[in-house]
Amino acid sequence: MSLKAINYPHILSGLGLILLGLLAPAVLSVKGFGIFPLMERSLVHASSGALLTASLKLVALNTLRALPIYIGTLLLAQGLGTFRAGAPRILLVLPLAVIPAAYEAIKLIYGIAYDFGIPAISLMLAILLMSRLENMTRRVFHKILVLALLLFGVEWLDTVPLLSGYWFGRGEISTDLKKIAAFLEAEEILNITGIALFIICTTNSFILARLLSVYTKELKVAEQVRLDSELKLRTLENRSLREMQSLVHDLKTPLTSIQGLAGVLAVSVADDPNRQYAARIVEASDKMSSMISEMLRDDTRQIISGREIVEYAAAHVPGLSGLRSFRIEAVEPLPAVAVNKIKMSRAIVNLLENAMEAVGGDNGRVGVRVSARDGRAVIEITDNGSGIPSDQSQLIWEPGFSTKNSSGFGLPFVRETVETNGGAIVIDSVGGQGTRVIITLPEVTDHD
Amino acid sequence: MTDKAITILAIDDDQDILFTLAAIGRTYGWRVITENDGRQAAAKVRGLKPDIILVDYHMPGLDGLSTVDLIRTHDHSAPIIVLTVDERQEIADRFLDAGANDFANKPIKIADLAARIRVHMHMRQQQEQSPAPFCDKGINEATLGLVRSFCRGAAGPFAAEEVAEGTGLAYQTIVRYLQFLQGRRELTASSSYGKVGRPRKKYQWMAKMGP
């Protein structure tokens, strides 16, 4: 068996629980549970009610004492990879030996003999069975619930006088209880109560196991569905990106004619305004061509001031300049960055649009501050808008997540753009009070 | 050879671009023959004996790459300059392998194109005076000589862009030739990791060892 199959945290907590099981009798005693006075009262007053209460307490006590040992064994078995395909058979024996060994230890330490009868054996088998339930292996808490209910049900069989001859309820107190029942002629009550509770509890335990298993499976399916839709979104996103790229690509063909013919004009016409016009057309088409190249290629960079990007972006957000409070603050010395200008300004347009939408009315304030700090250009976009509720602060980065019926690709695009340009982005928001987005980009000092 | 005598075969599926190329040619006094189909153009090459061939990459029917291939099967030695929007090096490499000599990125700046055409005319003249065989697939001896002499004359380490600017050849072409020279251990390359973006490669000419 490879060491990979071994889960050390499981083994450790398993051993811890078994140890707890060994310590349990010191805390959980028959005396502490007040079982003896109840037995005495049932004898003195011929009260089958007191007898039933005594047996209930005994079952509860036995359950509480045994539970850590059983769960510990279950965890141990799982931690050792007992049920993994190809695991050595010997591993099956180990957990099977743990429970009798623990019982023996308790007998040695406290002189209390836990009865290792049919209930214990069937429980052990139940544990082995349970660790094979694949969907149950994920949640330890589920297993504890199911096992506790099963244990509580099975322990009732020890109080059933009818089963006394068949390796059931051979413990000291169980035997006493059954003797009292025989004396009070209340055996039938114990028989019916014990068997009924056994059936109810074990059935419920199985139903619970099944339900939890289905629940876990459905969680898995839901997770898969989420992953699938994410994949679909990404595929769509890629496709639209490709479409856009080929469209942008095609723009270069007419631009070739524009630039070429303007160039012909610029060199052939005599020195008059027309020559200048032609030169301007060449210049403009040249700018357009580099914009197209930047749109097509992520790794195209130009060195530009942080303020220039922000101003370029702000000019593309409708209504922003109408906002009385909007202003761009640039702290000298102005940082220069090497970025894909088109994409980076699209990213900032996205953030400014988000800010605009968040502030809504007339009292909205949107501010941009550009500064340099520790060799990095810092662009901060602040607003006093509705903010992002803290439960959504992680979701905003998920593609397709949107609070305003948009595509939900905005912020993922922003983050991707900032990161591919060597920067980082942090969003600091308080629901109802506003948002601050901080982008830092490596500053370019020597223009190489 | 004066500019007047230059015959250029321009192959592009876009009529506007052919019109533009013809207009540019007229400005410099070149004869520009236009053709919008790669196959027909390749058939024309033998009779026409153009001095320079300009070919577009994206064309319906026979694309630029296959057109270059077809022209080179006739073993015509006219320099082929590829007009392309696609700036990817892998496309450039495939073109050079097929036998293209250089690139002019679209949109075309008239002065750039003129300079490029003149460089190739000049190289062709030199090659005719001392004919040298093709030394490797996609590597032309005349172009290699030009790149080599620039590198040899460089004062310190240089980037591919500087060689492109200095020789009048396209960046993609230069990258390919620099890689070739590096493979022959005539050049060493080192990456300088700037603060942003891809590392930039700097090349340096190695003094030849031995006799």
Side-chain angles (χ1 to χ4, degrees), chain A residues 249 252-253 255-257 259-261 263-264 267 286 289 293 297 299 301 338 442-443 445 448, chain B residues 14 16-17 19-20 23-24 27 58 85-88 106-110 195-198 200:
Chain A
H249 185 270
K252 284 217 177 185
T253 303
L255 201 58
T256 304
S257 301
Q259 189 160 47
L261 291 174
V264 168
V267 296
D286 203 24
S289 171
S293 294
R297 299 193 50 165
D299 56 1
R301 303 270 187 275
E443 199 184 344
T445 44
D448 70 340
Chain B
D14 191 289
D16 288 339
I17 288 180
F19 178 82
T20 306
I24 293 174
T27 313
H58 294 284
V85 176
D86 215 314
E87 292 164 29
R88 281 176 293 171
K106 282 184 185 174
I108 303 159
K109 274 191 229 156
I110 175 167
K195 283 175 186 162
V196 281
R198 289 187 299 182
R200 276 180 77 185

mmCIF file of all heavy atoms in Angstrom, chain A residues 249 252-253 255-257 259-261 263-264 267 286 289 293 297 299 301 338 442-443 445 448, chain B residues 14 16-17 19-20 23-24 27 58 85-88 106-110 195-198 200:
data_model
loop_
_atom_site.group_PDB
_atom_site.id
_atom_site.type_symbol
_atom_site.label_atom_id
_atom_site.label_comp_id
_atom_site.label_asym_id
_atom_site.label_seq_id
_atom_site.Cartn_x
_atom_site.Cartn_y
_atom_site.Cartn_z
ATOM 1 N N HIS A 249 -9.139 42.489 -36.700
ATOM 2 C CA HIS A 249 -8.134 42.103 -37.676
ATOM 3 C C HIS A 249 -8.522 42.635 -39.062
ATOM 4 O O HIS A 249 -7.718 43.216 -39.783
ATOM 5 C CB HIS A 249 -8.071 40.579 -37.663
ATOM 6 C CG HIS A 249 -7.014 40.004 -38.521
ATOM 7 N ND1 HIS A 249 -7.239 39.690 -39.836
ATOM 8 C CD2 HIS A 249 -5.738 39.677 -38.266
ATOM 9 C CE1 HIS A 249 -6.139 39.196 -40.347
ATOM 10 N NE2 HIS A 249 -5.211 39.178 -39.418
ATOM 11 N N LYS A 252 -7.856 46.194 -40.468
ATOM 12 C CA LYS A 252 -6.558 46.612 -40.991
ATOM 13 C C LYS A 252 -6.532 46.662 -42.518
ATOM 14 O O LYS A 252 -5.717 47.374 -43.090
ATOM 15 C CB LYS A 252 -5.448 45.675 -40.490
ATOM 16 C CG LYS A 252 -5.085 45.949 -39.046
ATOM 17 C CD LYS A 252 -3.611 45.779 -38.794
ATOM 18 C CE LYS A 252 -3.268 46.121 -37.363
ATOM 19 N NZ LYS A 252 -1.847 46.074 -37.099
ATOM 20 N N THR A 253 -7.407 45.908 -43.149
ATOM 21 C CA THR A 253 -7.391 45.890 -44.615
ATOM 22 C C THR A 253 -7.799 47.253 -45.195
ATOM 23 O O THR A 253 -7.026 47.836 -45.961
ATOM 24 C CB THR A 253 -8.273 44.737 -45.129
ATOM 25 O OG1 THR A 253 -7.766 43.540 -44.564
ATOM 26 C CG2 THR A 253 -8.234 44.634 -46.640
ATOM 27 N N LEU A 255 -7.749 49.974 -43.679
ATOM 28 C CA LEU A 255 -6.787 50.932 -43.145
ATOM 29 C C LEU A 255 -5.525 50.968 -44.017
ATOM 30 O O LEU A 255 -4.874 52.006 -44.146
ATOM 31 C CB LEU A 255 -6.437 50.540 -41.707
ATOM 32 C CG LEU A 255 -5.867 51.644 -40.835
ATOM 33 C CD1 LEU A 255 -6.812 52.810 -40.747
ATOM 34 C CD2 LEU A 255 -5.573 51.099 -39.448
ATOM 35 N N THR A 256 -5.232 49.814 -44.617
ATOM 36 C CA THR A 256 -4.058 49.748 -45.501
ATOM 37 C C THR A 256 -4.226 50.697 -46.679
ATOM 38 O O THR A 256 -3.308 51.431 -47.044
ATOM 39 C CB THR A 256 -3.878 48.304 -46.002
ATOM 40 O OG1 THR A 256 -3.783 47.455 -44.882
ATOM 41 C CG2 THR A 256 -2.632 48.168 -46.851
ATOM 42 N N SER A 257 -5.431 50.700 -47.253
ATOM 43 C CA SER A 257 -5.686 51.606 -48.374
ATOM 44 C C SER A 257 -5.622 53.051 -47.911
ATOM 45 O O SER A 257 -5.033 53.899 -48.579
ATOM 46 C CB SER A 257 -7.071 51.329 -48.970
ATOM 47 O OG SER A 257 -7.139 50.006 -49.415
ATOM 48 N N GLN A 259 -4.060 54.392 -45.336
ATOM 49 C CA GLN A 259 -2.717 54.846 -45.013
ATOM 50 C C GLN A 259 -1.832 54.945 -46.266
ATOM 51 O O GLN A 259 -1.097 55.909 -46.443
ATOM 52 C CB GLN A 259 -2.078 53.924 -43.986
ATOM 53 C CG GLN A 259 -0.762 54.492 -43.478
ATOM 54 C CD GLN A 259 -0.338 53.903 -42.164
ATOM 55 O OE1 GLN A 259 -0.375 52.694 -41.998
ATOM 56 N NE2 GLN A 259 0.044 54.748 -41.230
ATOM 57 N N GLY A 260 -1.967 53.944 -47.132
ATOM 58 C CA GLY A 260 -1.141 53.916 -48.346
ATOM 59 C C GLY A 260 -1.441 55.103 -49.244
ATOM 60 O O GLY A 260 -0.539 55.814 -49.690
ATOM 61 N N LEU A 261 -2.741 55.344 -49.484
ATOM 62 C CA LEU A 261 -3.108 56.424 -50.401
ATOM 63 C C LEU A 261 -2.828 57.794 -49.794
ATOM 64 O O LEU A 261 -2.385 58.707 -50.490
ATOM 65 C CB LEU A 261 -4.578 56.290 -50.808
ATOM 66 C CG LEU A 261 -4.847 55.072 -51.700
ATOM 67 C CD1 LEU A 261 -6.338 54.897 -51.952
ATOM 68 C CD2 LEU A 261 -4.098 55.200 -53.030
ATOM 69 N N GLY A 263 -0.474 58.332 -47.827
ATOM 70 C CA GLY A 263 0.982 58.439 -47.963
ATOM 71 C C GLY A 263 1.365 58.907 -49.348
ATOM 72 O O GLY A 263 2.240 59.758 -49.520
ATOM 73 N N VAL A 264 0.674 58.371 -50.368
ATOM 74 C CA VAL A 264 0.939 58.784 -51.753
ATOM 75 C C VAL A 264 0.661 60.281 -51.905
ATOM 76 O O VAL A 264 1.462 61.029 -52.463
ATOM 77 C CB VAL A 264 0.066 57.959 -52.730
ATOM 78 C CG1 VAL A 264 0.112 58.564 -54.128
ATOM 79 C CG2 VAL A 264 0.529 56.519 -52.756
ATOM 80 N N VAL A 267 3.312 62.554 -50.285
ATOM 81 C CA VAL A 267 4.589 62.766 -50.979
ATOM 82 C C VAL A 267 4.407 63.394 -52.357
ATOM 83 O O VAL A 267 5.342 63.947 -52.906
ATOM 84 C CB VAL A 267 5.427 61.464 -51.116
ATOM 85 C CG1 VAL A 267 5.824 60.949 -49.754
ATOM 86 C CG2 VAL A 267 4.693 60.404 -51.917
ATOM 87 N N ASP A 286 -2.059 55.638 -38.511
ATOM 88 C CA ASP A 286 -0.975 54.974 -37.800
ATOM 89 C C ASP A 286 -1.376 54.703 -36.348
ATOM 90 O O ASP A 286 -1.171 53.611 -35.815
ATOM 91 C CB ASP A 286 0.248 55.908 -37.847
ATOM 92 C CG ASP A 286 1.531 55.142 -37.655
ATOM 93 O OD1 ASP A 286 1.514 53.934 -37.950
ATOM 94 O OD2 ASP A 286 2.521 55.744 -37.220
ATOM 95 N N SER A 289 -3.869 51.997 -36.281
ATOM 96 C CA SER A 289 -3.234 50.707 -36.494
ATOM 97 C C SER A 289 -2.609 50.186 -35.207
ATOM 98 O O SER A 289 -2.729 48.994 -34.878
ATOM 99 C CB SER A 289 -2.178 50.846 -37.579
ATOM 100 O OG SER A 289 -1.423 49.678 -37.653
ATOM 101 N N SER A 293 -3.471 46.798 -33.091
ATOM 102 C CA SER A 293 -2.462 45.823 -32.659
ATOM 103 C C SER A 293 -2.584 45.547 -31.162
ATOM 104 O O SER A 293 -2.457 44.410 -30.721
ATOM 105 C CB SER A 293 -1.063 46.349 -32.941
ATOM 106 O OG SER A 293 -0.868 46.446 -34.315
ATOM 107 N N ARG A 297 -3.261 41.958 -29.514
ATOM 108 C CA ARG A 297 -2.203 41.266 -28.786
ATOM 109 C C ARG A 297 -2.054 41.795 -27.382
ATOM 110 O O ARG A 297 -1.779 42.966 -27.172
ATOM 111 C CB ARG A 297 -0.877 41.421 -29.535
ATOM 112 C CG ARG A 297 -0.964 40.806 -30.921
ATOM 113 C CD ARG A 297 0.384 40.687 -31.516
ATOM 114 N NE ARG A 297 1.321 40.044 -30.601
ATOM 115 C CZ ARG A 297 2.483 39.560 -30.993
ATOM 116 N NH1 ARG A 297 2.836 39.652 -32.243
ATOM 117 N NH2 ARG A 297 3.296 39.005 -30.118
ATOM 118 N N ASP A 299 0.260 41.224 -25.305
ATOM 119 C CA ASP A 299 1.622 41.546 -24.860
ATOM 120 C C ASP A 299 2.165 42.818 -25.504
ATOM 121 O O ASP A 299 3.320 43.146 -25.335
ATOM 122 C CB ASP A 299 2.559 40.356 -25.075
ATOM 123 C CG ASP A 299 2.568 39.889 -26.515
ATOM 124 O OD1 ASP A 299 1.868 40.511 -27.333
ATOM 125 O OD2 ASP A 299 3.262 38.912 -26.817
ATOM 126 N N ARG A 301 2.800 46.539 -25.454
ATOM 127 C CA ARG A 301 2.862 47.509 -24.362
ATOM 128 C C ARG A 301 3.258 48.874 -24.887
ATOM 129 O O ARG A 301 4.001 48.974 -25.850
ATOM 130 C CB ARG A 301 3.939 47.091 -23.343
ATOM 131 C CG ARG A 301 3.747 45.716 -22.750
ATOM 132 C CD ARG A 301 2.915 45.802 -21.491
ATOM 133 N NE ARG A 301 2.862 44.526 -20.811
ATOM 134 C CZ ARG A 301 1.996 43.572 -21.101
ATOM 135 N NH1 ARG A 301 1.122 43.755 -22.062
ATOM 136 N NH2 ARG A 301 2.002 42.441 -20.437
ATOM 137 N N ALA A 338 4.212 50.665 -18.176
ATOM 138 C CA ALA A 338 4.266 50.051 -19.505
ATOM 139 C C ALA A 338 3.106 49.083 -19.588
ATOM 140 O O ALA A 338 3.130 48.015 -18.981
ATOM 141 C CB ALA A 338 5.590 49.328 -19.699
ATOM 142 N N PRO A 442 3.504 48.070 -11.889
ATOM 143 C CA PRO A 442 4.933 48.362 -11.755
ATOM 144 C C PRO A 442 5.255 49.671 -12.475
ATOM 145 O O PRO A 442 4.817 49.870 -13.603
ATOM 146 C CB PRO A 442 5.616 47.192 -12.452
ATOM 147 C CG PRO A 442 4.567 46.180 -12.695
ATOM 148 C CD PRO A 442 3.250 46.849 -12.642
ATOM 149 N N GLU A 443 5.976 50.532 -11.806
ATOM 150 C CA GLU A 443 6.310 51.827 -12.394
ATOM 151 C C GLU A 443 7.534 51.667 -13.287
ATOM 152 O O GLU A 443 8.440 50.908 -12.957
ATOM 153 C CB GLU A 443 6.595 52.824 -11.280
ATOM 154 C CG GLU A 443 6.495 54.249 -11.726
ATOM 155 C CD GLU A 443 6.880 55.211 -10.627
ATOM 156 O OE1 GLU A 443 6.932 54.808 -9.450
ATOM 157 O OE2 GLU A 443 7.152 56.363 -10.954
ATOM 158 N N THR A 445 10.743 53.408 -14.682
ATOM 159 C CA THR A 445 11.561 54.593 -14.453
ATOM 160 C C THR A 445 12.491 54.841 -15.627
ATOM 161 O O THR A 445 12.519 55.915 -16.186
ATOM 162 C CB THR A 445 12.359 54.455 -13.145
ATOM 163 O OG1 THR A 445 12.897 53.141 -13.091
ATOM 164 C CG2 THR A 445 11.475 54.686 -11.952
ATOM 165 N N ASP A 448 13.309 51.706 -21.012
ATOM 166 C CA ASP A 448 13.957 50.739 -21.918
ATOM 167 C C ASP A 448 12.991 49.673 -22.367
ATOM 168 O O ASP A 448 11.949 49.539 -21.802
ATOM 169 C CB ASP A 448 15.171 50.084 -21.261
ATOM 170 C CG ASP A 448 14.795 49.145 -20.148
ATOM 171 O OD1 ASP A 448 13.671 49.278 -19.630
ATOM 172 O OD2 ASP A 448 15.587 48.295 -19.774
ATOM 173 N N ASP B 14 -7.654 41.971 -52.416
ATOM 174 C CA ASP B 14 -8.404 43.200 -52.182
ATOM 175 C C ASP B 14 -8.051 44.239 -53.260
ATOM 176 O O ASP B 14 -6.906 44.681 -53.359
ATOM 177 C CB ASP B 14 -8.064 43.730 -50.786
ATOM 178 C CG ASP B 14 -8.992 44.845 -50.347
ATOM 179 O OD1 ASP B 14 -8.893 45.967 -50.908
ATOM 180 O OD2 ASP B 14 -9.820 44.605 -49.453
ATOM 181 N N ASP B 16 -8.856 47.334 -53.523
ATOM 182 C CA ASP B 16 -8.434 48.631 -52.992
ATOM 183 C C ASP B 16 -6.950 48.638 -52.668
ATOM 184 O O ASP B 16 -6.253 49.628 -52.891
ATOM 185 C CB ASP B 16 -9.225 48.967 -51.723
ATOM 186 C CG ASP B 16 -10.661 49.328 -52.061
ATOM 187 O OD1 ASP B 16 -10.911 49.705 -53.228
ATOM 188 O OD2 ASP B 16 -11.529 49.216 -51.172
ATOM 189 N N ILE B 17 -6.488 47.524 -52.115
ATOM 190 C CA ILE B 17 -5.069 47.453 -51.757
ATOM 191 C C ILE B 17 -4.212 47.410 -53.024
ATOM 192 O O ILE B 17 -3.184 48.074 -53.112
ATOM 193 C CB ILE B 17 -4.802 46.252 -50.828
ATOM 194 C CG1 ILE B 17 -5.404 46.571 -49.455
ATOM 195 C CG2 ILE B 17 -3.308 45.961 -50.711
ATOM 196 C CD1 ILE B 17 -5.249 45.523 -48.417
ATOM 197 N N PHE B 19 -4.990 48.774 -55.823
ATOM 198 C CA PHE B 19 -5.043 50.146 -56.318
ATOM 199 C C PHE B 19 -4.021 51.010 -55.567
ATOM 200 O O PHE B 19 -3.276 51.788 -56.159
ATOM 201 C CB PHE B 19 -6.460 50.701 -56.125
ATOM 202 C CG PHE B 19 -6.622 52.117 -56.560
ATOM 203 C CD1 PHE B 19 -6.841 52.432 -57.907
ATOM 204 C CD2 PHE B 19 -6.549 53.163 -55.644
ATOM 205 C CE1 PHE B 19 -6.976 53.750 -58.310
ATOM 206 C CE2 PHE B 19 -6.682 54.477 -56.056
ATOM 207 C CZ PHE B 19 -6.904 54.778 -57.387
ATOM 208 N N THR B 20 -3.995 50.825 -54.236
ATOM 209 C CA THR B 20 -3.072 51.585 -53.391
ATOM 210 C C THR B 20 -1.626 51.276 -53.752
ATOM 211 O O THR B 20 -0.802 52.188 -53.884
ATOM 212 C CB THR B 20 -3.322 51.241 -51.908
ATOM 213 O OG1 THR B 20 -4.707 51.442 -51.631
ATOM 214 C CG2 THR B 20 -2.490 52.096 -50.994
ATOM 215 N N ALA B 23 -0.717 52.876 -56.891
ATOM 216 C CA ALA B 23 -0.538 54.322 -56.692
ATOM 217 C C ALA B 23 0.818 54.615 -56.066
ATOM 218 O O ALA B 23 1.509 55.559 -56.467
ATOM 219 C CB ALA B 23 -1.660 54.866 -55.816
ATOM 220 N N ILE B 24 1.196 53.808 -55.096
ATOM 221 C CA ILE B 24 2.507 53.983 -54.466
ATOM 222 C C ILE B 24 3.600 53.795 -55.514
ATOM 223 O O ILE B 24 4.551 54.570 -55.605
ATOM 224 C CB ILE B 24 2.688 52.985 -53.290
ATOM 225 C CG1 ILE B 24 1.718 53.325 -52.162
ATOM 226 C CG2 ILE B 24 4.135 53.011 -52.771
ATOM 227 C CD1 ILE B 24 1.706 52.329 -51.013
ATOM 228 N N THR B 27 4.076 56.714 -57.752
ATOM 229 C CA THR B 27 4.768 57.807 -57.071
ATOM 230 C C THR B 27 6.280 57.676 -57.219
ATOM 231 O O THR B 27 6.982 58.659 -57.378
ATOM 232 C CB THR B 27 4.408 57.793 -55.567
ATOM 233 O OG1 THR B 27 3.009 57.657 -55.453
ATOM 234 C CG2 THR B 27 4.863 59.064 -54.887
ATOM 235 N N HIS B 58 -3.624 36.591 -46.374
ATOM 236 C CA HIS B 58 -5.008 36.097 -46.387
ATOM 237 C C HIS B 58 -5.656 36.323 -47.744
ATOM 238 O O HIS B 58 -5.971 37.444 -48.115
ATOM 239 C CB HIS B 58 -5.843 36.805 -45.312
ATOM 240 C CG HIS B 58 -5.402 36.469 -43.922
ATOM 241 N ND1 HIS B 58 -5.690 35.273 -43.328
ATOM 242 C CD2 HIS B 58 -4.680 37.171 -43.034
ATOM 243 C CE1 HIS B 58 -5.162 35.240 -42.115
ATOM 244 N NE2 HIS B 58 -4.539 36.385 -41.906
ATOM 245 N N VAL B 85 -1.114 41.311 -41.958
ATOM 246 C CA VAL B 85 -1.665 41.922 -40.751
ATOM 247 C C VAL B 85 -1.184 41.098 -39.562
ATOM 248 O O VAL B 85 -1.008 41.590 -38.462
ATOM 249 C CB VAL B 85 -3.210 41.899 -40.796
ATOM 250 C CG1 VAL B 85 -3.793 42.443 -39.513
ATOM 251 C CG2 VAL B 85 -3.720 42.685 -41.991
ATOM 252 N N ASP B 86 -0.958 39.834 -39.843
ATOM 253 C CA ASP B 86 -0.582 38.893 -38.791
ATOM 254 C C ASP B 86 0.880 39.090 -38.424
ATOM 255 O O ASP B 86 1.756 38.920 -39.256
ATOM 256 C CB ASP B 86 -0.792 37.465 -39.316
ATOM 257 C CG ASP B 86 -1.252 36.565 -38.207
ATOM 258 O OD1 ASP B 86 -0.643 36.628 -37.119
ATOM 259 O OD2 ASP B 86 -2.221 35.817 -38.425
ATOM 260 N N GLU B 87 1.127 39.455 -37.160
ATOM 261 C CA GLU B 87 2.505 39.744 -36.775
ATOM 262 C C GLU B 87 3.162 38.568 -36.047
ATOM 263 O O GLU B 87 4.238 38.705 -35.494
ATOM 264 C CB GLU B 87 2.534 40.995 -35.884
ATOM 265 C CG GLU B 87 2.150 42.243 -36.666
ATOM 266 C CD GLU B 87 1.788 43.418 -35.774
ATOM 267 O OE1 GLU B 87 2.314 43.495 -34.651
ATOM 268 O OE2 GLU B 87 0.973 44.240 -36.209
ATOM 269 N N ARG B 88 2.491 37.434 -36.028
ATOM 270 C CA ARG B 88 3.036 36.306 -35.265
ATOM 271 C C ARG B 88 4.300 35.747 -35.907
ATOM 272 O O ARG B 88 4.368 35.555 -37.120
ATOM 273 C CB ARG B 88 1.993 35.190 -35.147
ATOM 274 C CG ARG B 88 0.950 35.480 -34.087
ATOM 275 C CD ARG B 88 -0.094 34.402 -34.073
ATOM 276 N NE ARG B 88 -0.879 34.401 -35.301
ATOM 277 C CZ ARG B 88 -1.748 33.454 -35.620
ATOM 278 N NH1 ARG B 88 -1.911 32.432 -34.837
ATOM 279 N NH2 ARG B 88 -2.429 33.532 -36.736
ATOM 280 N N LYS B 106 0.874 45.312 -42.611
ATOM 281 C CA LYS B 106 -0.241 46.184 -42.976
ATOM 282 C C LYS B 106 -0.706 46.894 -41.718
ATOM 283 O O LYS B 106 -0.681 46.285 -40.666
ATOM 284 C CB LYS B 106 -1.386 45.349 -43.539
ATOM 285 C CG LYS B 106 -1.186 44.905 -44.950
ATOM 286 C CD LYS B 106 -2.457 44.184 -45.370
ATOM 287 C CE LYS B 106 -2.338 43.580 -46.749
ATOM 288 N NZ LYS B 106 -3.523 42.776 -47.044
ATOM 289 N N PRO B 107 -1.193 48.101 -41.734
ATOM 290 C CA PRO B 107 -1.200 48.988 -42.891
ATOM 291 C C PRO B 107 0.213 49.368 -43.322
ATOM 292 O O PRO B 107 1.139 49.292 -42.533
ATOM 293 C CB PRO B 107 -1.940 50.220 -42.376
ATOM 294 C CG PRO B 107 -2.502 49.865 -41.066
ATOM 295 C CD PRO B 107 -1.786 48.689 -40.553
ATOM 296 N N ILE B 108 0.324 49.781 -44.588
ATOM 297 C CA ILE B 108 1.642 50.040 -45.156
ATOM 298 C C ILE B 108 1.978 51.520 -45.068
ATOM 299 O O ILE B 108 1.188 52.367 -45.467
ATOM 300 C CB ILE B 108 1.651 49.656 -46.649
ATOM 301 C CG1 ILE B 108 1.258 48.197 -46.812
ATOM 302 C CG2 ILE B 108 3.014 49.906 -47.251
ATOM 303 C CD1 ILE B 108 0.768 47.887 -48.194
ATOM 304 N N LYS B 109 3.148 51.803 -44.520
ATOM 305 C CA LYS B 109 3.613 53.184 -44.572
ATOM 306 C C LYS B 109 4.458 53.295 -45.830
ATOM 307 O O LYS B 109 5.390 52.517 -46.028
ATOM 308 C CB LYS B 109 4.426 53.509 -43.324
ATOM 309 C CG LYS B 109 3.536 53.964 -42.185
ATOM 310 C CD LYS B 109 4.359 54.525 -41.049
ATOM 311 C CE LYS B 109 3.916 53.893 -39.763
ATOM 312 N NZ LYS B 109 4.928 53.917 -38.738
ATOM 313 N N ILE B 110 4.098 54.230 -46.625
ATOM 314 C CA ILE B 110 4.694 54.351 -47.957
ATOM 315 C C ILE B 110 6.224 54.423 -47.912
ATOM 316 O O ILE B 110 6.908 53.744 -48.674
ATOM 317 C CB ILE B 110 4.044 55.528 -48.726
ATOM 318 C CG1 ILE B 110 4.714 55.756 -50.072
ATOM 319 C CG2 ILE B 110 4.001 56.793 -47.924
ATOM 320 C CD1 ILE B 110 3.892 56.686 -50.958
ATOM 321 N N LYS B 195 11.202 45.345 -15.923
ATOM 322 C CA LYS B 195 10.222 45.266 -14.846
ATOM 323 C C LYS B 195 8.901 44.700 -15.326
ATOM 324 O O LYS B 195 8.149 44.116 -14.569
ATOM 325 C CB LYS B 195 9.998 46.653 -14.263
ATOM 326 C CG LYS B 195 11.119 47.072 -13.353
ATOM 327 C CD LYS B 195 10.914 48.490 -12.899
ATOM 328 C CE LYS B 195 12.106 48.972 -12.111
ATOM 329 N NZ LYS B 195 12.121 50.420 -12.034
ATOM 330 N N VAL B 196 8.590 44.932 -16.601
ATOM 331 C CA VAL B 196 7.296 44.471 -17.101
ATOM 332 C C VAL B 196 7.456 43.728 -18.413
ATOM 333 O O VAL B 196 8.466 43.851 -19.101
ATOM 334 C CB VAL B 196 6.319 45.649 -17.351
ATOM 335 C CG1 VAL B 196 5.702 46.111 -16.073
ATOM 336 C CG2 VAL B 196 7.037 46.765 -18.061
ATOM 337 N N GLY B 197 6.400 42.976 -18.719
ATOM 338 C CA GLY B 197 6.320 42.338 -20.023
ATOM 339 C C GLY B 197 7.323 41.217 -20.215
ATOM 340 O O GLY B 197 7.918 40.721 -19.270
ATOM 341 N N ARG B 198 7.470 40.851 -21.467
ATOM 342 C CA ARG B 198 8.373 39.750 -21.795
ATOM 343 C C ARG B 198 9.824 40.209 -21.668
ATOM 344 O O ARG B 198 10.129 41.375 -21.872
ATOM 345 C CB ARG B 198 8.117 39.316 -23.234
ATOM 346 C CG ARG B 198 6.813 38.602 -23.397
ATOM 347 C CD ARG B 198 6.701 38.064 -24.780
ATOM 348 N NE ARG B 198 6.749 39.125 -25.788
ATOM 349 C CZ ARG B 198 6.633 38.913 -27.084
ATOM 350 N NH1 ARG B 198 6.492 37.698 -27.520
ATOM 351 N NH2 ARG B 198 6.666 39.906 -27.941
ATOM 352 N N ARG B 200 13.451 41.011 -22.784
ATOM 353 C CA ARG B 200 13.944 41.412 -24.100
ATOM 354 C C ARG B 200 15.283 40.755 -24.350
ATOM 355 O O ARG B 200 16.157 40.745 -23.491
ATOM 356 C CB ARG B 200 14.066 42.911 -24.156
ATOM 357 C CG ARG B 200 12.768 43.573 -24.498
ATOM 358 C CD ARG B 200 12.951 45.064 -24.545
ATOM 359 N NE ARG B 200 13.617 45.485 -25.769
ATOM 360 C CZ ARG B 200 13.962 46.760 -25.983
ATOM 361 N NH1 ARG B 200 13.734 47.658 -25.057
ATOM 362 N NH2 ARG B 200 14.547 47.101 -27.096
#
